[in-house]
Amino acid sequence: MSFKGMDIVSIRDLSREQIDQVLDLAERMIPYAKGELFTKAMDGRILANLFFEPSTRTRMSFESAMLRLGGKTLEMSHPSMMSIAKGETLADTIRMVETYSDVIVLRHPHEGSARLAAKFSTKPVINAGDGAGQHPTQTLLDLFTIRRQFGRIDGIKVALVGDLKYGRTVHSLAEALTLFGAEVTFVAPPPLQMPRETVRQVEKMGGKPKLTSKLEEVIKEADVLYVTRIQKERFPDPAEYQKVAGCYRIDNTLLREAKGDLIVMHPLPRVDEIAPEVDGTRHAKYFEQAFNGVPVRMALLQLVLGGDQL
Ligand code: ASP
């Protein structure tokens, strides 16, 4: 199935076969991502990173992915130094940047911005997070991490924990896990539960999501705890944030109740939802998960840009 020229705005843009294709190619990218093998597959190609919100892993792993493929990246300066600060619209910025590059990676605080950018760009646009909307490439690397760990996604019990309202990674992930036949449970305090639209979508896809606020109800059964940060910056009222800050904390005492092969994932950055003592345990997968962003994004770029065969 050809990906060439495709925008990746939502995980819904990809079929199960296409996701498998990305994950299979990502597997082959691992030695290149680690710098054990070298390639010039993207020689002469340019990726433009447009980040209007903070990012460490997504921006740097896209950059690393493009460099590991032998391509180059254009990094924008701080938004306050860009013409957007003079009142330029996102549409105009995109119209310019597409003439300087072959693919645009966009992170923006407004939901829907990636779809808008894709409309104005003739080059592929990859959504690197649009407000509380979607984060499809994070979902691909999350699926990759689970598949590598268990050899499958089908039937795996995944508890999504924390801020399911504003956390965009869980919105894309809940749908993708359902597409692959995993069982999802949404663990959040009531004001931060999964948006109804996502719950409905999961049900429409044949999933039977369980909703709870109690971690104790899932800890014994879960194969994956996917923990998220409370998204402080998206709360309209700081007092509301204070009410839910620190509501869950994963530590070794809690993990004693869990299955021996349970994995703890987190899109990172973490604040205080996973105790540092967990880092040294066999359960901790979040740093490996962050590395997986490189081979997965390499695979996606290779498919979208139609690079030379490796
Ligand atoms: N890095 C992830 C994101 O951009 C998760 C987070 O910020 O909490 O959505």
Side-chain angles (χ1 to χ4, degrees), residues 170-189:
V170 287
H171 299 159
S172 318
L173 186 58
E175 292 182 20
L177 285 169
T178 308
L179 184 68
F180 278 82
E183 293 173 32
V184 289
T185 303
F186 303 144
V187 186

Side-chain angles (χ1 to χ4, degrees), residues 10-85:
S10 158
I11 198 69
R12 291 184 201 172
D13 295 341
L14 299 174
S15 64
R16 186 173 170 158
E17 290 69 31
Q18 285 175 311
I19 294 176
D20 273 329
Q21 209 180 326
V22 178
L23 305 192
D24 292 345
L25 184 55
E27 208 59 66
R28 287 178 22 222
M29 290 293 182
I30 286 181
Y32 297 93
K34 288 186 171 163
E36 294 163 1
L37 290 176
F38 300 95
T39 171
K40 287 271 169 222
M42 287 287 157
D43 195 16
R45 308 293 183 91
I46 296 175
L47 173 151
N49 255 337
L50 285 185
F51 279 68
F52 293 95
E53 260 195 352
S55 172
T56 303
R57 278 149 294 273
T58 307
R59 191 182 62 72
M60 292 189 74
S61 66
F62 262 113
E63 189 176 1
S64 175
M66 194 60 177
L67 297 174
R68 293 284 197 204
L69 285 167
K72 293 209 160 45
T73 67
L74 268 185
E75 301 292 324
M76 73 176 222
S77 51
H78 190 272
S80 64
M81 300 296 285
M82 301 273 290
S83 288
I84 233 144

Side-chain angles (χ1 to χ4, degrees), residues 57-58 107 128 135 138 168-169 229 231 233 266-269:
R57 278 149 294 273
T58 307
R107 169 168 294 185
H135 196 344
Q138 176 74 45
R168 55 191 165 206
T169 69
R229 173 178 72 88
Q231 309 276 302
E233 68 276 24
H266 193 306
L268 300 176

Side-chain angles (χ1 to χ4, degrees), residues 89-160:
T89 61
L90 179 65
D92 279 1
T93 305
I94 294 292
R95 282 192 187 103
M96 296 304 111
V97 173
E98 74 146 346
T99 66
Y100 308 150
S101 60
D102 302 299
V103 56
I104 298 175
V105 177
L106 176 74
R107 169 168 294 185
H108 198 278
H110 298 148
E111 218 169 311
S113 52
R115 189 67 72 199
L116 181 97
K119 212 174 109 195
F120 285 96
S121 174
T122 58
K123 308 277 172 65
V125 170
I126 302 180
N127 182 5
D130 61 331
Q134 286 251 334
H135 196 344
T137 63
Q138 176 74 45
T139 295
L140 292 170
L141 75 91
D142 294 340
L143 294 175
F144 187 65
T145 305
I146 295 172
R147 198 180 83 162
R148 292 207 96 212
Q149 180 69 22
F150 298 100
R152 65 192 165 94
I153 299 170
D154 192 33
I156 298 294
K157 293 189 170 70
V158 184
L160 304 177

Side-chain angles (χ1 to χ4, degrees), residues 293-309:
V294 180
V296 166
R297 291 179 172 120
M298 287 174 79
L300 194 64
L301 290 171
Q302 180 76 0
L303 290 166
V304 164
L305 288 173
D308 297 341
Q309 281 302 313

